[in-house]
Each structure stands twice: as structure tokens, then as C-alpha cells.
Amino acid sequence: MNAAATLIQQLPDLSDAQFNQKYLKQKEGMRTLATILPQVEEQSLALRAVKLALKVNLKLGSKLAGTVKPEFQTSTIKLIQKIPTSPLLKIKLLALTSSDLAIPMLVATLNHKESAVRLHGIRAIGKIGSEAAVIELARSLESEDSQVQAWAAWALGEINSKPAASALLKALNHKASGVRVWAVWALGKINPKTAVPALLKALKHQDSEVRWRAAVNCGKIGVSEVVPGLINALRDSNHIARARAATALGKIGNCEAVPSLVELLHDDPDSYAVSLRAAEALGQIGTETAVAGLLEALNHDDSDVRGSAVSALGEISSEVAVVAVMRSLSDRDIFVRGRAAVALGNISTAGDANLQKMVTAGLAIAIGDSESYVRWRVAAALGEIGTEEAVAGLVRLLGDETSGVRHNAVKSLGQIGSTAAILALETALNREFADVRALAAQYLADVSTEAETVDFEPSVAADLSDRKLPKILIASEAEASEYTVDRAVGREIEYLISIGSPGVADPRNFHKVPNRLRLEFNDLDTPVDDPDQILPTLEDVLKIIDFALKMSSQGGSLLICCQSGISRSTATALIVCAALLGRGKEREAWAVVLAARPQAKPNRWMVHLADEALGRDGKLALAIELTAATPELAIANS
């Protein structure tokens, strides 16, 4: 008789107290129980074990309810159904069973009057993830509730199985366009081997929105098998589909696409909408053939095409690209010349002194451009380069006839912050223009206070007694960019978490912060606005937690930013504080966030994920809800 059989024989002889002590009071006993319970042949014994476990721990009991033999699960699932608790907690417990027999109860929640209950019901079915769950989720795609449709598609994508892919592929032919859109979006989330055949079919769908969303997902997957389909999509009748196919090919970087992209760049009837994406794709691919196509485009009659080519060349750090962009500084169109200035500032010259001299020389010529718009762009580009030659060019622009150009020159000198730049700012105190003198004095004042103790703006949380919690600054991206170049404030910032929309790069000055975490997703609570946008994931939250736990407790401030500094960044701050302060201090964590950003409205989906990741059982979401219900708490904490 093996060990499991021996333990099963002993079960009937154990009193409730003995059973609890042996199996429910310690982790080793729980693991043993989870191992032997599927082998218990008597329903009464299995039911008794689950009942006792539920009395000790609802989560543990729910997990065990789904481990007993399938023929016993009707009884164990009913035990959970009878628990007098909130709908949301009951949904969570049913999901923990991972049992198909829990699915009908979860399906019933999809008719609940509260959207949060419906949302969690769909998610719970998705977590079970079986073929039966896929069938119910596919049925939910027929719901009249658009939120239920959206979450059903999302859940099918999360299941990542062949049955789920089949359900999504079938949904591509749904009569409702919204369902078709959600289905193609979800296909981009599953295993490429399973998704690629379906997406290639979707590229030929009669619905243009399905086609261009399929192109987007092909770019995300990025495998070579999708390249021929995307090249064909460059000839799609819909200009959005052509543009998205070009973008996808640029992400993949396959050189086979270059001839078709060059053709699209030159001859597309919707030149601005499509040529920009074609040029960007050629810049990303960056082969000699791609560069040749961009060089040819610099002679195009359409200024939008020329401008797109110039911007793309600015992403290629080669002498050929630099020479070509420098020539565009003489383009007949003011905006092409401006984009050429920006492109020169973008070109990476690290480790190539000759390339650096060429870029600086080109911008020096553009300082004399007749249009202030171009000179303004030149001032910003020189600030990105930051060499002594760039400083010399900025000194010339301090005397520009247009105030905006002068201001940008001063700002760029402050951003560079080198000895030569500081000397230039000191010299600017004697300039003829009062605005230059005042702005230079402001930057020099920041320098003079560099050695002093710095107090952040009012949006900084008060330092708590817990030494593990850093000073926290929550800001919009624009505010954060200013903080990082401010010599007084920036020197205190040791850590940065920046959250941006997918495909939008960090401001270049963010590299000044030594320890950084960059996350890309949209500000979505549910995937209902646009499936082309990216929902925050549990992995994103885990990265935030990991970053927070690795921060040193010895000094240094943490800057957290998103586009507006209201939703994603404040949710991130709450996650950081909750992780560092520990269990039971969820309200204290929220108080820190409110003190740092009184207008905080955290992304609720991120908060729910944090509750899950940190094992807080909804306490973080509850802390926010309590404050919303009693506004005086927010006032007291701000």
C-alpha cells in the first residue's frame, strides 16, 4: 500500500480537530491534502474535507473543491454557492475551483445589474480556461452588452488554446462589426503558431477594419510567416490598411518588404496618410536599399513625402543619412526644413566624432534660416546634441529677433548644463533682451542652489517614518521632463517609472535618471474603447512591484509619470507604496498618493491587478472607494 492510500485510510478516523491540525494548519499538510484528495473514492470524505477547509480558509477550500473527483464536484461547488458573501467574492471563489461545474453559476452573473459583477464573471470563466469555458465565452460574444462582448474576446485571447482560436476565427464572420473587431484583436494575443493562419485570413476579410487590425497584430507577432501577407496588404483598397501594413513591416524589419514600401512611398494616392508610415518603416529596416528609397523620396513633388523621408533618415545613424538630411535644410518647404533640423538632433553620433561634426555643422548653417519656425527647431536640436560646438550655436541664437527662438536657446543651454553652457548663461545676463536675461538668471539660480537641500513642489508626498518609502513625485510627462532637466530638482531623482502610450518614446532627457522603468500601455479600465489599444497587464504590475522592491532605502527620490499624471501614474504610485509599506497599510498607501497628487484618479484595472498580485483581496480598491464615498478623507490627506 502506497503512502497516499495509507493517508486516505486514516481520514475517516480523524476528528475535525485532528484533521485541521494535520492538514489545514500548516503548508506541508495542505500540499499533502491537495495531493490525496483527488484519489478519495468516498464522496462523504471528500465533501467533509472541503467543508472543513472552507471553514479555515475560503480560498483554500475553493481550490480543493475543484480537485475532488469530477462526480463529486457538483456537491463541493454547491458548498461555495451557499456561502453568504458578496457576488464579487463568490465569483472569485468559483474561479479558484477551476471546475467546469462552476461555469453555469458564473454564466448567471453575466445578467447582473452591476457591470463590475458581469466583468468579473467573464474573467472568472476565462480563468477556468477549459473547452467548456471557451464554449460559454463564444456564446457571450453574442451578448447585447458590448462590455460582455469585449471581455469575452479578451478572455478567449488569454486562454491561448486552439479551441479559443477557433472560436475567435468563427467570430470574424459575426454579423456585428464590433464582435468582428474584438475577435481579430484577441487573435493577436494568442500563440503565434495558432494565430498566424487566422490573421492571414483576416488580412483578406471583407471588413476593412478587420483587415487593418489584422495587420497591426501581424506586426505585434513579428514572425516571418506574416510578411508575404503584409506585402500584399500594401495594395489594399483601404488607405488605413495600407498604412498599418507598412508600420507592421517596419516593426518586423524584413528587407523583402523594401521594394513595395518604396513604391508605396512614391505613388500612394493618399500620400500623407500612407507615405509617412512607409517612410518610417524604411527607416526602421535601414538597409542600403531602404536608404536609397528614402533618398529618392527627397525629390518628390509632395512636401509631405519629402518630410516623411527626412524624419525617417533621422533614425538612421550613417554618413549618407546625415548628408541627405543636411541637404533638406535648404528645401523649399519650411516644414521640411524644420523636420530636417529635428532629424539632425535625433541622429545618434555616439562614438563617431566625424558624424557629430557634420551634424553640428549642418545645424550651424540652419541658424541663418529666414523662418523663425526652423530656427526654433534648430535651438531644440542643438540642445539634444550638447557639444561645445552646439553651445556656440545656441549663443548665436540668444540674439535672435524672435523671442520664442531665444527662449528655446536658453532652455537648451540649461538642459546641456555643461561648464561651457553655464558660462554662456552667465554671459547672457548682459544680453540686450530682457527676456533672455530673466530666463538665464532663472537657470543660473537653479545651478546656485544645487548643493542645497531641495524641497520638491507641493505635489510631493511628505516623508513617512518608514525608511523604505522614498519621496515620491507624481507628474505629467511634460512636468516630469521639466523636473529631470532642472538642475536643482533633477539631482535628487534616483528612480523613474514612466508610462506612455505604445509606440511613443520617452523624452530623451529621461536618460538622465540612473534607474528607470518604462512601461507602455493605454489608460484603459476595460477593453471597450478601442481594441487596438493596449490594456495594462498583470506582468506590468509585477514589473512595478519588482522595481519598487529593488530601490535602495538610502535616499533618492522616485519620479512617476504618465501623459497627464492623473490615472496610470497614480495607480503606479499606489502599487509602489502598497508593496513597500506591506499588508494592512493599504489606506496609508493611498494617503501617500493623495498627498503627492490630490487630483489622483488611479486606473482601476491596474488597482484590481495590484490587489491580485499583492494578495490584498480588494483592499486597495476598497481604500479608494472609501475615500470617494467620504471626500473629507481626501481633503484631510491632501
Side-chain angles (χ1 to χ4, degrees):
M1 184 179 294
N2 60 34
T6 302
L7 291 171
I8 291 171
Q9 267 194 345
Q10 294 173 356
L11 287 179
D13 299 325
L14 296 176
S15 67
D16 288 355
Q18 289 172 327
F19 184 93
N20 287 346
Q21 185 62 40
K22 186 176 182 66
Y23 292 112
L24 302 176
K25 294 295 185 182
Q26 49 191 339
K27 290 183 178 179
E28 186 60 37
M30 294 178 189
R31 284 194 287 267
T32 301
L33 182 61
T35 301
I36 66 172
L37 203 53
Q39 303 176 49
V40 172
E41 298 288 347
E42 291 186 36
Q43 181 172 346
S44 59
L45 285 178
L47 201 59
R48 177 187 175 220
V50 173
K51 281 181 179 178
L52 292 173
L54 285 169
K55 288 180 180 179
V56 173
N57 186 306
L58 287 176
K59 289 183 180 179
L60 171 63
S62 298
K63 289 179 181 178
L64 292 175
T67 64
V68 301
K69 287 186 172 297
E71 56 266 33
F72 303 160
Q73 288 181 18
T74 300
S75 298
T76 56
I77 299 298
K78 283 182 178 178
L79 291 176
I80 298 171
Q81 187 180 26
K82 293 177 181 178
I83 296 172
T85 186
S86 68
L88 291 180
L89 179 56
K90 187 165 293 186
I91 287 170
K92 185 173 184 178
L93 297 177
L94 288 169
L96 288 173
T97 68
S98 297
S99 171
D100 283 352
L101 293 172
I103 292 176
M105 301 174 196
L106 293 170
V107 170
T109 67
L110 303 185
N111 296 316
H112 199 280
K113 62 181 180 180
E114 294 183 19
S115 62
V117 174
R118 300 196 299 271
L119 183 156
H120 281 79
I122 278 285
R123 284 194 66 213
I125 296 172
K127 285 184 177 180
I128 291 175
S130 63
E131 287 194 33
V134 168
I135 291 171
E136 290 300 337
L137 290 170
R139 287 175 182 166
S140 296
L141 290 173
E142 304 287 342
S143 171
E144 295 180 0
D145 185 333
S146 61
Q147 281 193 327
V148 170
Q149 288 178 352
W151 280 108
W154 179 87
L156 284 167
E158 290 292 307
I159 291 174
N160 194 6
S161 68
K162 288 185 178 180
S166 297
L168 292 169
L169 184 58
K170 184 178 179 181
L172 289 178
N173 296 316
H174 197 280
K175 61 182 179 180
S177 62
V179 175
R180 297 196 297 269
V181 167
W182 288 118
V184 73
W185 170 78
L187 281 169
K189 295 167 61 63
I190 64 180
N191 187 288
K193 289 184 179 179
T194 306
V196 166
L199 287 172
L200 290 176
K201 289 182 180 179
L203 284 173
K204 301 176 181 178
H205 199 279
Q206 61 182 2
D207 185 334
S208 63
E209 188 170 7
V210 170
R211 296 199 302 274
W212 71 252
R213 292 190 186 281
V216 170
N217 282 331
C218 285
K220 290 177 182 175
I221 292 175
V223 296
S224 59
E225 288 85 348
V226 301
V227 170
L230 288 171
I231 291 176
N232 287 334
L234 294 177
R235 296 187 289 272
D236 195 285
S237 60
N238 181 272
H239 73 277
I240 298 176
R242 296 196 299 275
R244 295 302 179 101
T247 298
L249 288 165
K251 285 184 177 180
I252 296 171
N254 192 300
C255 59
E256 293 177 17
V258 169
S260 298
L261 288 168
V262 171
E263 181 182 347
L264 192 68
L265 176 62
H266 288 285
D267 301 324
D268 193 88
D270 300 281
S271 59
Y272 180 73
V274 182
S275 66
L276 173 62
R277 303 307 174 198
E280 289 175 347
L282 289 169
Q284 287 175 302
I285 295 172
T287 61
E288 289 186 14
T289 310
V291 172
L294 291 170
L295 294 177
E296 187 179 344
L298 294 180
N299 299 316
H300 201 281
D301 290 337
D302 192 322
S303 63
D304 288 329
V305 175
R306 299 198 304 277
S308 298
V310 165
S311 296
L313 286 165
E315 301 298 325
I316 302 172
S317 300
S318 71
E319 186 172 331
V320 173
V322 171
V323 170
V325 174
M326 287 174 63
R327 287 175 183 165
S328 295
L329 289 170
S330 302
D331 193 276
R332 59 186 180 276
D333 184 87
I334 174 179
F335 296 107
V336 174
R337 300 202 300 276
R339 291 175 76 168
V342 173
L344 287 174
N346 286 339
I347 289 174
S348 174
T349 60
D352 192 330
N354 184 52
L355 205 60
Q356 191 175 75
K357 287 180 181 179
M358 290 175 63
V359 169
T360 308
L363 289 171
I365 294 172
I367 288 174
D369 195 281
S370 60
E371 296 290 343
S372 62
Y373 169 81
V374 178
R375 300 196 301 276
W376 187 90
R377 295 285 185 137
V378 170
L382 289 170
E384 294 293 339
I385 295 171
T387 61
E388 289 194 15
E389 291 81 2
V391 170
L394 289 167
V395 170
R396 288 174 57 191
L397 290 171
L398 292 176
D400 195 276
E401 62 184 17
T402 303
S403 61
V405 176
R406 299 195 297 268
H407 293 176
N408 226 20
V410 175
K411 181 179 177 181
S412 288
L413 287 170
Q415 178 180 326
I416 294 171
S418 64
T419 302
I422 293 171
L423 182 60
L425 288 172
E426 291 174 345
T427 304
L429 295 174
N430 300 315
R431 283 278 180 173
E432 64 273 25
F433 295 108
D435 56 349
V436 171
R437 297 196 299 271
L439 200 56
Q442 179 182 326
Y443 276 95
L444 288 169
D446 291 338
V447 175
S448 66
T449 58
E450 182 178 2
E452 299 175 7
T453 301
V454 178
D455 288 326
F456 281 131
E457 301 290 329
S459 60
V460 181
D463 194 14
L464 300 187
S465 57
D466 192 325
R467 292 181 62 192
K468 292 193 299 182
L469 200 65
K471 288 184 178 179
I472 296 177
L473 177 62
I474 304 173
S476 68
E477 188 174 274
E479 293 167 338
S481 187
E482 294 294 331
Y483 289 141
T484 55
V485 299
D486 188 295
R487 294 182 64 81
V489 177
R491 68 184 295 272
E492 293 292 324
I493 300 173
E494 290 289 328
Y495 305 96
L496 168 67
I497 303 177
S498 66
I499 303 170
S501 298
V504 179
D506 253 348
R508 291 201 167 203
N509 50 12
F510 278 13
H511 75 279
K512 296 176 181 290
V513 181
N515 304 290
R516 303 182 301 280
L517 172 64
R518 173 67 172 179
L519 299 172
E520 293 187 359
F521 49 79
N522 297 101
D523 188 14
L524 298 176
D525 285 325
T526 58
V528 294
D529 296 329
D530 182 354
D532 194 34
Q533 297 189 33
I534 304 298
L535 192 71
T537 66
L538 183 61
E539 184 180 354
D540 293 318
V541 171
L542 292 173
K543 286 180 180 178
I544 294 168
I545 294 170
D546 184 62
F547 185 83
L549 296 178
K550 289 180 179 178
M551 291 191 299
S552 170
S553 60
Q554 302 299 318
S557 300
L558 168 64
L559 171 61
I560 303 173
C561 69
C562 62
Q563 183 176 356
S564 62
I566 302 296
S567 179
R568 289 169 290 179
S569 56
T570 57
T572 299
L574 180 59
I575 294 167
V576 169
C577 293
L580 294 180
L581 291 175
R583 293 179 182 275
K585 294 188 177 182
E586 290 76 20
R587 293 183 68 176
E588 288 90 335
W590 176 227
V592 173
V593 176
L594 281 175
R597 200 73 166 176
Q599 64 269 49
K601 293 182 180 178
N603 179 289
R604 294 305 179 93
W605 178 238
M606 292 179 68
V607 174
H608 285 305
L609 291 175
D611 268 321
E612 181 179 338
L614 293 168
R616 302 300 170 85
D617 297 324
K619 291 179 182 177
L620 284 171
L622 181 61
I624 297 172
E625 290 166 9
L626 287 173
T627 305
T630 53
E632 62 273 11
L633 287 178
I635 296 172
N637 289 326
S638 64

